[in-house]
Amino acid sequence: MFQLDFHVNVNVNNNNNRYKIRMMDEELNPIYSIGEIINRVNVSRRTLHYYDQIELLKPTKVKDSGYRYYDTKALIKLQTILALKSMDYTLDQIKELLDKSEKAAPIKPEDAWIHSLSEQKKFCIKQD
């Protein structure tokens, strides 16, 4: 039996006759390649590979060809990592924070930022 790994959503812009192809996962959520992540977020390919190596940010999907793909949840996690890095957190501290928050009860997406800030505050108090 043949199973598709990705769905493709094609939008046509009639003005320029250009096609915009968006890769989607099985639940029709957007999937981003490393190239798309680099264009959206100011981060290098090497940084993404390193975050994968230290298990800070794992790709959502790795194809047989080695291409890595990230979903929206991973993109939000990357933005959180970069925000914490800009506040002088070490990668070990960030990993500890993220591991702790992932083990906690599920959080609604709209409450994730508030929860993240709350966890950061607790972590800062613990470090002092």
Side-chain angles (χ1 to χ4, degrees), residues 67-96:
Y67 288 122
R68 297 155 192 227
Y69 295 93
Y70 299 84
D71 62 6
T72 305
K73 184 178 175 184
L75 190 57
I76 291 169
K77 186 175 181 179
L78 174 61
Q79 290 173 329
T80 303
I81 292 166
L82 296 175
L84 291 170
K85 252 184 89 183
S86 74
M87 292 184 265
D88 294 328
Y89 280 81
T90 66
L91 292 179
D92 287 335
Q93 291 171 328
I94 294 169
K95 189 170 186 337
E96 182 182 334

mmCIF file of all heavy atoms in Angstrom, residues 67-96:
data_model
loop_
_atom_site.group_PDB
_atom_site.id
_atom_site.type_symbol
_atom_site.label_atom_id
_atom_site.label_comp_id
_atom_site.label_asym_id
_atom_site.label_seq_id
_atom_site.Cartn_x
_atom_site.Cartn_y
_atom_site.Cartn_z
ATOM 1 N N TYR A 67 16.863 15.562 3.963
ATOM 2 C CA TYR A 67 16.217 16.864 4.106
ATOM 3 C C TYR A 67 15.389 16.886 5.381
ATOM 4 O O TYR A 67 14.683 15.933 5.689
ATOM 5 C CB TYR A 67 15.327 17.182 2.903
ATOM 6 C CG TYR A 67 16.100 17.510 1.658
ATOM 7 C CD1 TYR A 67 15.928 16.764 0.502
ATOM 8 C CD2 TYR A 67 17.010 18.566 1.626
ATOM 9 C CE1 TYR A 67 16.633 17.053 -0.653
ATOM 10 C CE2 TYR A 67 17.722 18.862 0.479
ATOM 11 C CZ TYR A 67 17.526 18.110 -0.647
ATOM 12 O OH TYR A 67 18.228 18.400 -1.778
ATOM 13 N N ARG A 68 15.471 17.997 6.100
ATOM 14 C CA ARG A 68 14.759 18.138 7.362
ATOM 15 C C ARG A 68 13.604 19.099 7.179
ATOM 16 O O ARG A 68 13.729 20.119 6.521
ATOM 17 C CB ARG A 68 15.707 18.681 8.432
ATOM 18 C CG ARG A 68 16.852 17.735 8.705
ATOM 19 C CD ARG A 68 18.044 18.459 9.257
ATOM 20 N NE ARG A 68 19.181 17.561 9.215
ATOM 21 C CZ ARG A 68 20.004 17.381 10.222
ATOM 22 N NH1 ARG A 68 19.865 18.052 11.312
ATOM 23 N NH2 ARG A 68 20.985 16.530 10.116
ATOM 24 N N TYR A 69 12.494 18.771 7.826
ATOM 25 C CA TYR A 69 11.294 19.592 7.750
ATOM 26 C C TYR A 69 10.785 19.871 9.160
ATOM 27 O O TYR A 69 10.895 19.026 10.043
ATOM 28 C CB TYR A 69 10.208 18.894 6.922
ATOM 29 C CG TYR A 69 10.606 18.729 5.477
ATOM 30 C CD1 TYR A 69 11.233 17.571 5.033
ATOM 31 C CD2 TYR A 69 10.377 19.751 4.565
ATOM 32 C CE1 TYR A 69 11.612 17.427 3.712
ATOM 33 C CE2 TYR A 69 10.754 19.619 3.236
ATOM 34 C CZ TYR A 69 11.370 18.449 2.820
ATOM 35 O OH TYR A 69 11.756 18.319 1.510
ATOM 36 N N TYR A 70 10.243 21.065 9.335
ATOM 37 C CA TYR A 70 9.764 21.510 10.637
ATOM 38 C C TYR A 70 8.317 21.968 10.510
ATOM 39 O O TYR A 70 7.957 22.621 9.537
ATOM 40 C CB TYR A 70 10.615 22.681 11.144
ATOM 41 C CG TYR A 70 12.071 22.321 11.331
ATOM 42 C CD1 TYR A 70 12.967 22.352 10.272
ATOM 43 C CD2 TYR A 70 12.545 21.926 12.572
ATOM 44 C CE1 TYR A 70 14.298 22.012 10.439
ATOM 45 C CE2 TYR A 70 13.875 21.583 12.751
ATOM 46 C CZ TYR A 70 14.747 21.629 11.674
ATOM 47 O OH TYR A 70 16.067 21.289 11.845
ATOM 48 N N ASP A 71 7.494 21.646 11.519
ATOM 49 C CA ASP A 71 6.115 22.118 11.509
ATOM 50 C C ASP A 71 6.014 23.444 12.261
ATOM 51 O O ASP A 71 7.015 23.980 12.742
ATOM 52 C CB ASP A 71 5.165 21.064 12.088
ATOM 53 C CG ASP A 71 5.441 20.727 13.547
ATOM 54 O OD1 ASP A 71 6.304 21.372 14.180
ATOM 55 O OD2 ASP A 71 4.787 19.799 14.062
ATOM 56 N N THR A 72 4.804 23.968 12.348
ATOM 57 C CA THR A 72 4.583 25.261 13.003
ATOM 58 C C THR A 72 4.983 25.215 14.473
ATOM 59 O O THR A 72 5.565 26.162 14.995
ATOM 60 C CB THR A 72 3.108 25.682 12.857
ATOM 61 O OG1 THR A 72 2.775 25.682 11.470
ATOM 62 C CG2 THR A 72 2.869 27.064 13.432
ATOM 63 N N LYS A 73 4.711 24.112 15.132
ATOM 64 C CA LYS A 73 5.075 23.959 16.545
ATOM 65 C C LYS A 73 6.592 24.069 16.718
ATOM 66 O O LYS A 73 7.081 24.731 17.639
ATOM 67 C CB LYS A 73 4.563 22.613 17.064
ATOM 68 C CG LYS A 73 4.796 22.386 18.526
ATOM 69 C CD LYS A 73 4.209 21.046 18.958
ATOM 70 C CE LYS A 73 4.541 20.750 20.397
ATOM 71 N NZ LYS A 73 4.057 19.424 20.817
ATOM 72 N N ALA A 74 7.351 23.439 15.829
ATOM 73 C CA ALA A 74 8.816 23.517 15.892
ATOM 74 C C ALA A 74 9.300 24.935 15.592
ATOM 75 O O ALA A 74 10.274 25.400 16.192
ATOM 76 C CB ALA A 74 9.437 22.531 14.916
ATOM 77 N N LEU A 75 8.616 25.618 14.688
ATOM 78 C CA LEU A 75 8.981 27.000 14.365
ATOM 79 C C LEU A 75 8.777 27.913 15.577
ATOM 80 O O LEU A 75 9.621 28.758 15.887
ATOM 81 C CB LEU A 75 8.155 27.487 13.174
ATOM 82 C CG LEU A 75 8.540 28.803 12.542
ATOM 83 C CD1 LEU A 75 9.987 28.793 12.077
ATOM 84 C CD2 LEU A 75 7.621 29.109 11.380
ATOM 85 N N ILE A 76 7.688 27.711 16.301
ATOM 86 C CA ILE A 76 7.435 28.482 17.526
ATOM 87 C C ILE A 76 8.483 28.153 18.578
ATOM 88 O O ILE A 76 8.993 29.044 19.266
ATOM 89 C CB ILE A 76 6.009 28.213 18.050
ATOM 90 C CG1 ILE A 76 4.998 28.814 17.080
ATOM 91 C CG2 ILE A 76 5.824 28.764 19.455
ATOM 92 C CD1 ILE A 76 3.565 28.398 17.333
ATOM 93 N N LYS A 77 8.851 26.876 18.671
ATOM 94 C CA LYS A 77 9.892 26.473 19.630
ATOM 95 C C LYS A 77 11.216 27.131 19.275
ATOM 96 O O LYS A 77 11.940 27.608 20.159
ATOM 97 C CB LYS A 77 10.024 24.946 19.651
ATOM 98 C CG LYS A 77 10.976 24.432 20.703
ATOM 99 C CD LYS A 77 10.952 22.907 20.750
ATOM 100 C CE LYS A 77 11.882 22.379 21.816
ATOM 101 N NZ LYS A 77 11.863 20.907 21.888
ATOM 102 N N LEU A 78 11.544 27.198 17.985
ATOM 103 C CA LEU A 78 12.771 27.856 17.543
ATOM 104 C C LEU A 78 12.755 29.332 17.919
ATOM 105 O O LEU A 78 13.748 29.867 18.415
ATOM 106 C CB LEU A 78 12.955 27.690 16.035
ATOM 107 C CG LEU A 78 14.131 28.455 15.422
ATOM 108 C CD1 LEU A 78 15.459 27.998 16.029
ATOM 109 C CD2 LEU A 78 14.132 28.295 13.915
ATOM 110 N N GLN A 79 11.635 29.988 17.721
ATOM 111 C CA GLN A 79 11.533 31.403 18.079
ATOM 112 C C GLN A 79 11.696 31.598 19.582
ATOM 113 O O GLN A 79 12.313 32.563 20.026
ATOM 114 C CB GLN A 79 10.208 31.977 17.576
ATOM 115 C CG GLN A 79 10.179 32.086 16.068
ATOM 116 C CD GLN A 79 8.835 32.488 15.532
ATOM 117 O OE1 GLN A 79 7.796 32.170 16.095
ATOM 118 N NE2 GLN A 79 8.840 33.205 14.414
ATOM 119 N N THR A 80 11.175 30.665 20.365
ATOM 120 C CA THR A 80 11.352 30.722 21.823
ATOM 121 C C THR A 80 12.828 30.561 22.183
ATOM 122 O O THR A 80 13.352 31.302 23.016
ATOM 123 C CB THR A 80 10.505 29.628 22.504
ATOM 124 O OG1 THR A 80 9.141 29.793 22.128
ATOM 125 C CG2 THR A 80 10.646 29.678 24.012
ATOM 126 N N ILE A 81 13.489 29.608 21.542
ATOM 127 C CA ILE A 81 14.918 29.386 21.789
ATOM 128 C C ILE A 81 15.713 30.653 21.477
ATOM 129 O O ILE A 81 16.555 31.090 22.271
ATOM 130 C CB ILE A 81 15.442 28.196 20.949
ATOM 131 C CG1 ILE A 81 14.842 26.885 21.448
ATOM 132 C CG2 ILE A 81 16.971 28.142 20.958
ATOM 133 C CD1 ILE A 81 15.024 25.713 20.498
ATOM 134 N N LEU A 82 15.440 31.254 20.330
ATOM 135 C CA LEU A 82 16.177 32.456 19.935
ATOM 136 C C LEU A 82 15.888 33.629 20.865
ATOM 137 O O LEU A 82 16.795 34.415 21.177
ATOM 138 C CB LEU A 82 15.848 32.813 18.483
ATOM 139 C CG LEU A 82 16.281 31.765 17.449
ATOM 140 C CD1 LEU A 82 15.804 32.157 16.061
ATOM 141 C CD2 LEU A 82 17.775 31.544 17.474
ATOM 142 N N ALA A 83 14.650 33.739 21.334
ATOM 143 C CA ALA A 83 14.307 34.807 22.284
ATOM 144 C C ALA A 83 15.060 34.615 23.599
ATOM 145 O O ALA A 83 15.624 35.568 24.154
ATOM 146 C CB ALA A 83 12.801 34.835 22.526
ATOM 147 N N LEU A 84 15.100 33.382 24.087
ATOM 148 C CA LEU A 84 15.817 33.101 25.336
ATOM 149 C C LEU A 84 17.316 33.325 25.172
ATOM 150 O O LEU A 84 17.981 33.833 26.080
ATOM 151 C CB LEU A 84 15.520 31.673 25.807
ATOM 152 C CG LEU A 84 14.091 31.429 26.292
ATOM 153 C CD1 LEU A 84 13.844 29.947 26.492
ATOM 154 C CD2 LEU A 84 13.807 32.201 27.564
ATOM 155 N N LYS A 85 17.851 32.943 24.003
ATOM 156 C CA LYS A 85 19.272 33.189 23.729
ATOM 157 C C LYS A 85 19.584 34.672 23.754
ATOM 158 O O LYS A 85 20.626 35.093 24.258
ATOM 159 C CB LYS A 85 19.646 32.612 22.361
ATOM 160 C CG LYS A 85 20.515 31.376 22.459
ATOM 161 C CD LYS A 85 20.938 30.916 21.102
ATOM 162 C CE LYS A 85 22.217 31.625 20.755
ATOM 163 N NZ LYS A 85 22.732 31.352 19.439
ATOM 164 N N SER A 86 18.671 35.480 23.216
ATOM 165 C CA SER A 86 18.894 36.933 23.192
ATOM 166 C C SER A 86 18.852 37.527 24.602
ATOM 167 O O SER A 86 19.340 38.623 24.817
ATOM 168 C CB SER A 86 17.872 37.621 22.290
ATOM 169 O OG SER A 86 16.609 37.654 22.903
ATOM 170 N N MET A 87 18.273 36.775 25.553
ATOM 171 C CA MET A 87 18.241 37.208 26.955
ATOM 172 C C MET A 87 19.383 36.582 27.748
ATOM 173 O O MET A 87 19.332 36.503 28.968
ATOM 174 C CB MET A 87 16.895 36.846 27.586
ATOM 175 C CG MET A 87 15.738 37.626 27.026
ATOM 176 S SD MET A 87 14.212 37.263 27.880
ATOM 177 C CE MET A 87 13.525 35.991 26.835
ATOM 178 N N ASP A 88 20.400 36.091 27.044
ATOM 179 C CA ASP A 88 21.622 35.532 27.625
ATOM 180 C C ASP A 88 21.435 34.212 28.370
ATOM 181 O O ASP A 88 22.233 33.864 29.238
ATOM 182 C CB ASP A 88 22.315 36.551 28.536
ATOM 183 C CG ASP A 88 22.844 37.733 27.761
ATOM 184 O OD1 ASP A 88 23.227 37.539 26.589
ATOM 185 O OD2 ASP A 88 22.876 38.844 28.314
ATOM 186 N N TYR A 89 20.393 33.453 28.023
ATOM 187 C CA TYR A 89 20.277 32.104 28.558
ATOM 188 C C TYR A 89 21.263 31.220 27.797
ATOM 189 O O TYR A 89 21.467 31.393 26.595
ATOM 190 C CB TYR A 89 18.864 31.545 28.345
ATOM 191 C CG TYR A 89 17.844 32.027 29.343
ATOM 192 C CD1 TYR A 89 17.236 33.263 29.208
ATOM 193 C CD2 TYR A 89 17.474 31.226 30.407
ATOM 194 C CE1 TYR A 89 16.286 33.700 30.109
ATOM 195 C CE2 TYR A 89 16.524 31.644 31.317
ATOM 196 C CZ TYR A 89 15.935 32.887 31.165
ATOM 197 O OH TYR A 89 15.008 33.312 32.060
ATOM 198 N N THR A 90 21.863 30.266 28.486
ATOM 199 C CA THR A 90 22.730 29.299 27.813
ATOM 200 C C THR A 90 21.841 28.240 27.149
ATOM 201 O O THR A 90 20.665 28.088 27.513
ATOM 202 C CB THR A 90 23.678 28.596 28.796
ATOM 203 O OG1 THR A 90 22.898 27.781 29.688
ATOM 204 C CG2 THR A 90 24.508 29.598 29.592
ATOM 205 N N LEU A 91 22.408 27.487 26.220
ATOM 206 C CA LEU A 91 21.627 26.433 25.568
ATOM 207 C C LEU A 91 21.207 25.360 26.568
ATOM 208 O O LEU A 91 20.108 24.804 26.463
ATOM 209 C CB LEU A 91 22.415 25.829 24.406
ATOM 210 C CG LEU A 91 22.637 26.762 23.212
ATOM 211 C CD1 LEU A 91 23.459 26.052 22.135
ATOM 212 C CD2 LEU A 91 21.331 27.277 22.647
ATOM 213 N N ASP A 92 22.058 25.094 27.560
ATOM 214 C CA ASP A 92 21.689 24.121 28.603
ATOM 215 C C ASP A 92 20.492 24.610 29.414
ATOM 216 O O ASP A 92 19.587 23.841 29.730
ATOM 217 C CB ASP A 92 22.872 23.849 29.537
ATOM 218 C CG ASP A 92 23.959 23.006 28.877
ATOM 219 O OD1 ASP A 92 23.631 22.251 27.932
ATOM 220 O OD2 ASP A 92 25.125 23.110 29.302
ATOM 221 N N GLN A 93 20.489 25.904 29.758
ATOM 222 C CA GLN A 93 19.366 26.469 30.505
ATOM 223 C C GLN A 93 18.085 26.430 29.664
ATOM 224 O O GLN A 93 17.012 26.103 30.178
ATOM 225 C CB GLN A 93 19.667 27.907 30.926
ATOM 226 C CG GLN A 93 20.743 28.019 31.983
ATOM 227 C CD GLN A 93 21.182 29.461 32.213
ATOM 228 O OE1 GLN A 93 21.168 30.274 31.287
ATOM 229 N NE2 GLN A 93 21.567 29.761 33.446
ATOM 230 N N ILE A 94 18.215 26.748 28.387
ATOM 231 C CA ILE A 94 17.059 26.734 27.492
ATOM 232 C C ILE A 94 16.507 25.321 27.378
ATOM 233 O O ILE A 94 15.293 25.104 27.457
ATOM 234 C CB ILE A 94 17.432 27.296 26.104
ATOM 235 C CG1 ILE A 94 17.779 28.786 26.215
ATOM 236 C CG2 ILE A 94 16.307 27.062 25.106
ATOM 237 C CD1 ILE A 94 18.401 29.384 24.963
ATOM 238 N N LYS A 95 17.405 24.371 27.227
ATOM 239 C CA LYS A 95 16.971 22.967 27.114
ATOM 240 C C LYS A 95 16.233 22.534 28.376
ATOM 241 O O LYS A 95 15.191 21.890 28.311
ATOM 242 C CB LYS A 95 18.180 22.069 26.860
ATOM 243 C CG LYS A 95 17.826 20.634 26.514
ATOM 244 C CD LYS A 95 19.060 19.915 26.050
ATOM 245 C CE LYS A 95 18.917 18.554 25.528
ATOM 246 N NZ LYS A 95 17.869 17.715 25.821
ATOM 247 N N GLU A 96 16.761 22.920 29.535
ATOM 248 C CA GLU A 96 16.117 22.583 30.803
ATOM 249 C C GLU A 96 14.716 23.202 30.882
ATOM 250 O O GLU A 96 13.759 22.541 31.285
ATOM 251 C CB GLU A 96 16.978 23.073 31.970
ATOM 252 C CG GLU A 96 16.423 22.735 33.337
ATOM 253 C CD GLU A 96 17.293 23.276 34.468
ATOM 254 O OE1 GLU A 96 18.505 23.465 34.268
ATOM 255 O OE2 GLU A 96 16.735 23.503 35.546
#
